[in-house]
Amino acid sequence: MLLRIYNVFMATTIKVIFMPNVLVIGAVGQIGTELTMELRRRYGGQKVVAATRKTPFPKELEQSGPCIFFDVADKEAMKKVITEHKIDTIYQLASLLSATGEKDPDLAFQINLIGLKNTLDVARECGVKRIFWPSSIAAFGPTTPRDNTPQRTVLEPTTMYGVTKVAGELLCQYYSKKYGMDIRSVRYPGLISYKAEPGGGTTDYSVAIFYEAIKHKKYTCFVGPETVLPMMYMPDAIRGTIALMEAPREKLTVHTSYNLAAISFSAKELAAEVARLMPGFTCDYKPDHRQAIADSWPKSIDDSQARQDWGWKHEYGLTRMSEDMIKNLTPILQNKK
Ligand code: SER
């Protein structure tokens, strides 16, 4: 009898821990596209609802589970999805990136910050158990120490994107302390991927260089050769995000947003690596308005708190990442011709 009770208890516990009903808001963005598919592989297609205001949905997403159109401004629509699909876990990824945010700061504020607040309010009302929200290295600014930037440090960003990230981090901490909500977050570095293009970020050159190298064997980089920024390959970012979301709550000591790091390199070092793998490739440099944004961000990040609290560890260095990018992106671009 006792054994039966134990078994039922364990089965329920495992189900509760590992089989969440998930809503991904911003499922068609740079992170969402890959994260949604990975969550569906992990928990089952029907358990992960993909939501976006950017249609059409990519085929892969549409065919593997529920897809819904709504805007983060629309709290009623959000409530309806959460109730209908019994959502207990939300990944709120809807966001404008740094360069696009500077073109339309009002829209960046609406989507990035009001969108987050709407999500937190609806989640609280509906009793959602766990929420993920991405912050960024953009939360830092020119007054932040740039090398090995600490977890707790000066946050005085100069972009609207950065302002929404700092305010968003504090909002997450406020809601977790005031209402006991379980909200988790990381400060992503620049993310590099061959699946979904970033669009509108300052770190986009580290992705564009691969596209242009494969297509034209040359690239004109919009930041100077000595520009160093923290970067990460998308598979590491996805793995890290899910690891944080599955970590026991009592292990987490940061309720704003965890520093998360992998690799730091200069634009020149990246170009040299691409040229090594693709002989004949050349890169020149024409810095534009994004240079000032890049110069206001850290060069490297101290993520020891994430490593200590929930076992974060990156796997991809510059060479492994570059090899994998070229190997996977080449057939994709050749098929598009
Ligand atoms: N990749 C982002 C950007 O460049 C930073 O979070 O805007």
Side-chain angles (χ1 to χ4, degrees):
M1 180 64 182
L2 268 182
L3 188 66
R4 234 185 109 203
I5 294 173
Y6 175 80
N7 282 344
V8 170
F9 172 76
M10 285 312 284
T12 319
T13 310
I14 286 169
K15 207 168 163 203
V16 169
I17 295 173
F18 294 108
M19 283 304 176
N21 291 322
V22 182
L23 171 63
V24 183
I25 304 174
V28 180
Q30 188 196 8
I31 302 172
T33 307
E34 291 190 42
L35 184 64
T36 308
M37 288 310 296
E38 185 52 34
L39 293 171
R40 283 184 173 168
R41 273 189 284 276
R42 216 171 164 82
Y43 307 131
Q46 291 307 315
K47 306 282 280 180
V48 181
V49 180
T52 181
R53 62 173 200 136
K54 233 204 255 170
T55 47
F57 282 93
K59 259 211 182 80
E60 197 187 28
L61 269 189
E62 205 163 42
Q63 289 168 353
S64 57
C67 291
I68 282 163
F69 172 85
F70 77 76
D71 202 292
V72 282
D74 189 348
K75 287 168 92 170
E76 285 312 309
M78 207 187 289
K79 214 181 286 177
K80 194 161 167 265
V81 177
I82 293 174
T83 317
E84 267 172 21
H85 292 266
K86 300 189 173 57
I87 298 297
D88 53 39
T89 303
I90 298 180
Y91 290 78
Q92 156 55 305
L93 309 174
S95 180
L96 290 196
L97 290 181
S98 56
T100 316
E102 287 314 282
K103 282 192 199 137
D104 195 342
D106 283 348
L107 187 64
F109 190 85
Q110 285 303 325
I111 295 183
N112 299 8
L113 196 58
I114 304 298
L116 169 65
K117 183 164 185 302
N118 286 347
T119 308
L120 294 178
D121 287 336
V122 174
R124 185 177 156 231
E125 202 183 316
C126 298
V128 170
K129 291 204 188 79
R130 197 166 286 179
I131 298 154
F132 176 84
W133 175 76
S135 186
S136 157
I137 50 166
F140 303 117
T143 49
T144 307
R146 293 190 73 199
D147 293 303
N148 218 18
T149 302
Q151 174 66 50
R152 289 188 169 87
T153 184
V154 183
L155 299 171
E156 292 183 334
T158 50
T159 60
M160 178 54 94
Y161 177 66
V163 169
T164 64
K165 291 302 179 191
V166 175
E169 286 190 13
L170 294 174
L171 205 61
C172 289
Q173 178 168 257
Y174 179 84
Y175 274 64
S176 48
K177 295 216 154 128
K178 177 135 180 129
Y179 306 120
M181 292 171 74
D182 184 357
I183 309 164
R184 305 178 180 202
S185 176
V186 294
R187 294 172 179 150
Y188 288 118
L191 297 177
I192 301 171
S193 153
Y194 61 88
K195 289 192 181 152
E197 284 184 72
T202 301
T203 57
D204 293 12
Y205 64 89
S206 59
V207 180
I209 193 169
F210 289 99
Y211 279 78
E212 295 308 307
I214 294 165
K215 287 197 280 195
H216 308 300
K217 285 227 159 189
K218 58 177 193 227
Y219 178 57
T220 301
C221 186
F222 60 76
V223 298
E226 309 299 337
T227 307
V228 178
L229 284 174
M231 302 280 181
M232 183 180 290
Y233 198 34
M234 191 62 90
D236 272 339
I238 301 292
R239 203 174 36 77
T241 305
I242 296 176
L244 171 62
M245 284 298 272
E246 290 184 349
R249 190 174 179 184
E250 60 279 8
K251 296 246 182 219
L252 308 180
T253 59
V254 173
H255 300 289
T256 50
S257 189
Y258 276 97
N259 276 7
L260 199 69
I263 359 166
S264 282
F265 48 75
S266 65
K268 190 170 76 181
E269 282 165 334
L270 175 62
E273 189 62 26
V274 175
R276 191 181 67 76
L277 296 166
M278 300 191 67
F281 168 75
T282 56
C283 188
D284 58 5
Y285 301 87
K286 241 193 219 159
D288 67 13
H289 59 281
R290 289 166 283 191
Q291 182 71 54
I293 300 179
D295 289 343
S296 76
W297 290 350
K299 294 181 176 176
S300 60
I301 301 285
D302 173 4
D303 63 354
S304 46
Q305 197 69 52
R307 292 181 188 252
Q308 188 182 309
D309 286 3
W310 46 278
W312 160 246
K313 200 167 179 270
H314 73 279
E315 287 178 358
Y316 286 84
L318 176 59
T319 297
R320 190 170 166 212
M321 179 274 289
S322 304
E323 284 170 357
D324 204 65
M325 275 296 281
I326 292 170
K327 187 179 103 200
N328 287 291
L329 193 56
T330 305
I332 295 173
L333 295 181
Q334 277 165 356
N335 287 342
K336 269 195 186 158
K337 269 188 194 161

PDB file of all heavy atoms in Angstrom, residues 205-223:
ATOM      1  N   TYR A 205      26.275  41.449 -36.252  1.00  0.00           N
ATOM      2  CA  TYR A 205      27.416  41.236 -37.167  1.00  0.00           C
ATOM      3  C   TYR A 205      28.030  39.855 -36.997  1.00  0.00           C
ATOM      4  O   TYR A 205      28.553  39.281 -37.961  1.00  0.00           O
ATOM      5  CB  TYR A 205      28.501  42.326 -36.982  1.00  0.00           C
ATOM      6  CG  TYR A 205      29.158  42.317 -35.631  1.00  0.00           C
ATOM      7  CD1 TYR A 205      30.287  41.551 -35.380  1.00  0.00           C
ATOM      8  CD2 TYR A 205      28.635  43.060 -34.583  1.00  0.00           C
ATOM      9  CE1 TYR A 205      30.883  41.531 -34.126  1.00  0.00           C
ATOM     10  CE2 TYR A 205      29.217  43.050 -33.325  1.00  0.00           C
ATOM     11  CZ  TYR A 205      30.347  42.277 -33.096  1.00  0.00           C
ATOM     12  OH  TYR A 205      30.913  42.251 -31.861  1.00  0.00           O
ATOM     13  N   SER A 206      27.935  39.322 -35.763  1.00  0.00           N
ATOM     14  CA  SER A 206      28.556  38.022 -35.507  1.00  0.00           C
ATOM     15  C   SER A 206      27.761  36.882 -36.152  1.00  0.00           C
ATOM     16  O   SER A 206      28.235  35.757 -36.239  1.00  0.00           O
ATOM     17  CB  SER A 206      28.707  37.795 -34.001  1.00  0.00           C
ATOM     18  OG  SER A 206      27.436  37.847 -33.402  1.00  0.00           O
ATOM     19  N   VAL A 207      26.548  37.166 -36.602  1.00  0.00           N
ATOM     20  CA  VAL A 207      25.753  36.194 -37.359  1.00  0.00           C
ATOM     21  C   VAL A 207      25.875  36.505 -38.854  1.00  0.00           C
ATOM     22  O   VAL A 207      26.143  35.619 -39.676  1.00  0.00           O
ATOM     23  CB  VAL A 207      24.262  36.254 -36.934  1.00  0.00           C
ATOM     24  CG1 VAL A 207      23.441  35.237 -37.723  1.00  0.00           C
ATOM     25  CG2 VAL A 207      24.117  36.018 -35.444  1.00  0.00           C
ATOM     26  N   ALA A 208      25.731  37.792 -39.188  1.00  0.00           N
ATOM     27  CA  ALA A 208      25.761  38.221 -40.596  1.00  0.00           C
ATOM     28  C   ALA A 208      27.069  37.815 -41.282  1.00  0.00           C
ATOM     29  O   ALA A 208      27.080  37.475 -42.469  1.00  0.00           O
ATOM     30  CB  ALA A 208      25.571  39.734 -40.671  1.00  0.00           C
ATOM     31  N   ILE A 209      28.166  37.826 -40.543  1.00  0.00           N
ATOM     32  CA  ILE A 209      29.468  37.486 -41.135  1.00  0.00           C
ATOM     33  C   ILE A 209      29.440  36.079 -41.755  1.00  0.00           C
ATOM     34  O   ILE A 209      29.993  35.859 -42.832  1.00  0.00           O
ATOM     35  CB  ILE A 209      30.597  37.620 -40.074  1.00  0.00           C
ATOM     36  CG1 ILE A 209      31.978  37.584 -40.742  1.00  0.00           C
ATOM     37  CG2 ILE A 209      30.507  36.567 -38.983  1.00  0.00           C
ATOM     38  CD1 ILE A 209      33.128  37.972 -39.775  1.00  0.00           C
ATOM     39  N   PHE A 210      28.728  35.156 -41.125  1.00  0.00           N
ATOM     40  CA  PHE A 210      28.661  33.792 -41.660  1.00  0.00           C
ATOM     41  C   PHE A 210      27.820  33.746 -42.938  1.00  0.00           C
ATOM     42  O   PHE A 210      28.182  33.072 -43.903  1.00  0.00           O
ATOM     43  CB  PHE A 210      28.090  32.831 -40.605  1.00  0.00           C
ATOM     44  CG  PHE A 210      29.033  32.580 -39.463  1.00  0.00           C
ATOM     45  CD1 PHE A 210      28.901  33.259 -38.263  1.00  0.00           C
ATOM     46  CD2 PHE A 210      30.085  31.679 -39.595  1.00  0.00           C
ATOM     47  CE1 PHE A 210      29.781  33.046 -37.217  1.00  0.00           C
ATOM     48  CE2 PHE A 210      30.976  31.448 -38.557  1.00  0.00           C
ATOM     49  CZ  PHE A 210      30.820  32.136 -37.359  1.00  0.00           C
ATOM     50  N   TYR A 211      26.693  34.462 -42.918  1.00  0.00           N
ATOM     51  CA  TYR A 211      25.832  34.503 -44.114  1.00  0.00           C
ATOM     52  C   TYR A 211      26.605  35.064 -45.304  1.00  0.00           C
ATOM     53  O   TYR A 211      26.597  34.508 -46.396  1.00  0.00           O
ATOM     54  CB  TYR A 211      24.593  35.378 -43.855  1.00  0.00           C
ATOM     55  CG  TYR A 211      23.495  34.654 -43.105  1.00  0.00           C
ATOM     56  CD1 TYR A 211      23.573  34.452 -41.730  1.00  0.00           C
ATOM     57  CD2 TYR A 211      22.381  34.169 -43.773  1.00  0.00           C
ATOM     58  CE1 TYR A 211      22.569  33.792 -41.041  1.00  0.00           C
ATOM     59  CE2 TYR A 211      21.367  33.508 -43.093  1.00  0.00           C
ATOM     60  CZ  TYR A 211      21.464  33.322 -41.729  1.00  0.00           C
ATOM     61  OH  TYR A 211      20.471  32.651 -41.059  1.00  0.00           O
ATOM     62  N   GLU A 212      27.292  36.189 -45.070  1.00  0.00           N
ATOM     63  CA  GLU A 212      27.994  36.854 -46.170  1.00  0.00           C
ATOM     64  C   GLU A 212      29.222  36.056 -46.602  1.00  0.00           C
ATOM     65  O   GLU A 212      29.565  36.031 -47.788  1.00  0.00           O
ATOM     66  CB  GLU A 212      28.388  38.286 -45.755  1.00  0.00           C
ATOM     67  CG  GLU A 212      27.192  39.185 -45.503  1.00  0.00           C
ATOM     68  CD  GLU A 212      26.204  39.195 -46.667  1.00  0.00           C
ATOM     69  OE1 GLU A 212      26.615  39.447 -47.812  1.00  0.00           O
ATOM     70  OE2 GLU A 212      24.999  38.944 -46.422  1.00  0.00           O
ATOM     71  N   ALA A 213      29.874  35.406 -45.666  1.00  0.00           N
ATOM     72  CA  ALA A 213      31.054  34.590 -46.009  1.00  0.00           C
ATOM     73  C   ALA A 213      30.640  33.463 -46.954  1.00  0.00           C
ATOM     74  O   ALA A 213      31.304  33.194 -47.957  1.00  0.00           O
ATOM     75  CB  ALA A 213      31.687  34.021 -44.743  1.00  0.00           C
ATOM     76  N   ILE A 214      29.514  32.830 -46.639  1.00  0.00           N
ATOM     77  CA  ILE A 214      29.062  31.706 -47.474  1.00  0.00           C
ATOM     78  C   ILE A 214      28.542  32.214 -48.822  1.00  0.00           C
ATOM     79  O   ILE A 214      28.817  31.633 -49.866  1.00  0.00           O
ATOM     80  CB  ILE A 214      27.989  30.880 -46.719  1.00  0.00           C
ATOM     81  CG1 ILE A 214      28.629  30.221 -45.499  1.00  0.00           C
ATOM     82  CG2 ILE A 214      27.345  29.828 -47.630  1.00  0.00           C
ATOM     83  CD1 ILE A 214      27.657  29.676 -44.473  1.00  0.00           C
ATOM     84  N   LYS A 215      27.810  33.335 -48.775  1.00  0.00           N
ATOM     85  CA  LYS A 215      27.214  33.829 -50.032  1.00  0.00           C
ATOM     86  C   LYS A 215      28.219  34.558 -50.924  1.00  0.00           C
ATOM     87  O   LYS A 215      28.238  34.369 -52.124  1.00  0.00           O
ATOM     88  CB  LYS A 215      26.039  34.778 -49.713  1.00  0.00           C
ATOM     89  CG  LYS A 215      24.814  34.027 -49.208  1.00  0.00           C
ATOM     90  CD  LYS A 215      23.559  34.870 -49.285  1.00  0.00           C
ATOM     91  CE  LYS A 215      23.475  35.817 -48.124  1.00  0.00           C
ATOM     92  NZ  LYS A 215      22.180  36.437 -47.904  1.00  0.00           N
ATOM     93  N   HIS A 216      29.074  35.418 -50.330  1.00  0.00           N
ATOM     94  CA  HIS A 216      29.920  36.300 -51.163  1.00  0.00           C
ATOM     95  C   HIS A 216      31.399  36.248 -50.835  1.00  0.00           C
ATOM     96  O   HIS A 216      32.177  37.026 -51.394  1.00  0.00           O
ATOM     97  CB  HIS A 216      29.442  37.752 -51.024  1.00  0.00           C
ATOM     98  CG  HIS A 216      27.977  37.932 -51.265  1.00  0.00           C
ATOM     99  ND1 HIS A 216      27.366  37.617 -52.452  1.00  0.00           N
ATOM    100  CD2 HIS A 216      26.978  38.360 -50.442  1.00  0.00           C
ATOM    101  CE1 HIS A 216      26.063  37.866 -52.367  1.00  0.00           C
ATOM    102  NE2 HIS A 216      25.800  38.301 -51.159  1.00  0.00           N
ATOM    103  N   LYS A 217      31.780  35.458 -49.848  1.00  0.00           N
ATOM    104  CA  LYS A 217      33.194  35.371 -49.427  1.00  0.00           C
ATOM    105  C   LYS A 217      33.735  36.690 -48.905  1.00  0.00           C
ATOM    106  O   LYS A 217      34.952  36.894 -48.825  1.00  0.00           O
ATOM    107  CB  LYS A 217      34.068  34.841 -50.566  1.00  0.00           C
ATOM    108  CG  LYS A 217      33.905  33.339 -50.778  1.00  0.00           C
ATOM    109  CD  LYS A 217      35.250  32.663 -50.911  1.00  0.00           C
ATOM    110  CE  LYS A 217      35.114  31.182 -50.613  1.00  0.00           C
ATOM    111  NZ  LYS A 217      36.338  30.486 -50.520  1.00  0.00           N
ATOM    112  N   LYS A 218      32.859  37.653 -48.643  1.00  0.00           N
ATOM    113  CA  LYS A 218      33.358  38.887 -48.017  1.00  0.00           C
ATOM    114  C   LYS A 218      32.254  39.532 -47.168  1.00  0.00           C
ATOM    115  O   LYS A 218      31.066  39.252 -47.393  1.00  0.00           O
ATOM    116  CB  LYS A 218      33.881  39.865 -49.067  1.00  0.00           C
ATOM    117  CG  LYS A 218      32.894  40.267 -50.104  1.00  0.00           C
ATOM    118  CD  LYS A 218      33.555  41.283 -51.017  1.00  0.00           C
ATOM    119  CE  LYS A 218      32.484  41.902 -51.841  1.00  0.00           C
ATOM    120  NZ  LYS A 218      32.553  42.083 -53.154  1.00  0.00           N
ATOM    121  N   TYR A 219      32.692  40.358 -46.225  1.00  0.00           N
ATOM    122  CA  TYR A 219      31.721  40.992 -45.333  1.00  0.00           C
ATOM    123  C   TYR A 219      32.222  42.368 -44.915  1.00  0.00           C
ATOM    124  O   TYR A 219      33.415  42.542 -44.651  1.00  0.00           O
ATOM    125  CB  TYR A 219      31.510  40.119 -44.085  1.00  0.00           C
ATOM    126  CG  TYR A 219      30.556  40.724 -43.086  1.00  0.00           C
ATOM    127  CD1 TYR A 219      29.258  41.060 -43.454  1.00  0.00           C
ATOM    128  CD2 TYR A 219      30.943  40.966 -41.766  1.00  0.00           C
ATOM    129  CE1 TYR A 219      28.378  41.630 -42.535  1.00  0.00           C
ATOM    130  CE2 TYR A 219      30.063  41.524 -40.845  1.00  0.00           C
ATOM    131  CZ  TYR A 219      28.786  41.852 -41.239  1.00  0.00           C
ATOM    132  OH  TYR A 219      27.908  42.420 -40.338  1.00  0.00           O
ATOM    133  N   THR A 220      31.315  43.328 -44.891  1.00  0.00           N
ATOM    134  CA  THR A 220      31.645  44.649 -44.354  1.00  0.00           C
ATOM    135  C   THR A 220      30.996  44.750 -42.986  1.00  0.00           C
ATOM    136  O   THR A 220      29.762  44.744 -42.867  1.00  0.00           O
ATOM    137  CB  THR A 220      31.132  45.768 -45.289  1.00  0.00           C
ATOM    138  OG1 THR A 220      31.742  45.573 -46.566  1.00  0.00           O
ATOM    139  CG2 THR A 220      31.511  47.140 -44.753  1.00  0.00           C
ATOM    140  N   CYS A 221      31.839  44.807 -41.971  1.00  0.00           N
ATOM    141  CA  CYS A 221      31.367  44.727 -40.585  1.00  0.00           C
ATOM    142  C   CYS A 221      31.013  46.117 -40.061  1.00  0.00           C
ATOM    143  O   CYS A 221      31.755  47.069 -40.275  1.00  0.00           O
ATOM    144  CB  CYS A 221      32.489  44.118 -39.741  1.00  0.00           C
ATOM    145  SG  CYS A 221      31.993  43.810 -38.054  1.00  0.00           S
ATOM    146  N   PHE A 222      29.874  46.230 -39.358  1.00  0.00           N
ATOM    147  CA  PHE A 222      29.418  47.556 -38.920  1.00  0.00           C
ATOM    148  C   PHE A 222      29.977  47.987 -37.561  1.00  0.00           C
ATOM    149  O   PHE A 222      29.589  49.022 -37.019  1.00  0.00           O
ATOM    150  CB  PHE A 222      27.891  47.659 -38.961  1.00  0.00           C
ATOM    151  CG  PHE A 222      27.152  46.668 -38.088  1.00  0.00           C
ATOM    152  CD1 PHE A 222      27.079  46.839 -36.723  1.00  0.00           C
ATOM    153  CD2 PHE A 222      26.500  45.576 -38.663  1.00  0.00           C
ATOM    154  CE1 PHE A 222      26.384  45.937 -35.921  1.00  0.00           C
ATOM    155  CE2 PHE A 222      25.792  44.666 -37.877  1.00  0.00           C
ATOM    156  CZ  PHE A 222      25.747  44.858 -36.498  1.00  0.00           C
ATOM    157  N   VAL A 223      30.882  47.178 -36.992  1.00  0.00           N
ATOM    158  CA  VAL A 223      31.682  47.664 -35.848  1.00  0.00           C
ATOM    159  C   VAL A 223      33.153  47.473 -36.205  1.00  0.00           C
ATOM    160  O   VAL A 223      33.484  46.665 -37.090  1.00  0.00           O
ATOM    161  CB  VAL A 223      31.371  46.916 -34.517  1.00  0.00           C
ATOM    162  CG1 VAL A 223      29.931  47.113 -34.084  1.00  0.00           C
ATOM    163  CG2 VAL A 223      31.701  45.421 -34.625  1.00  0.00           C
TER     164      VAL A 223
END
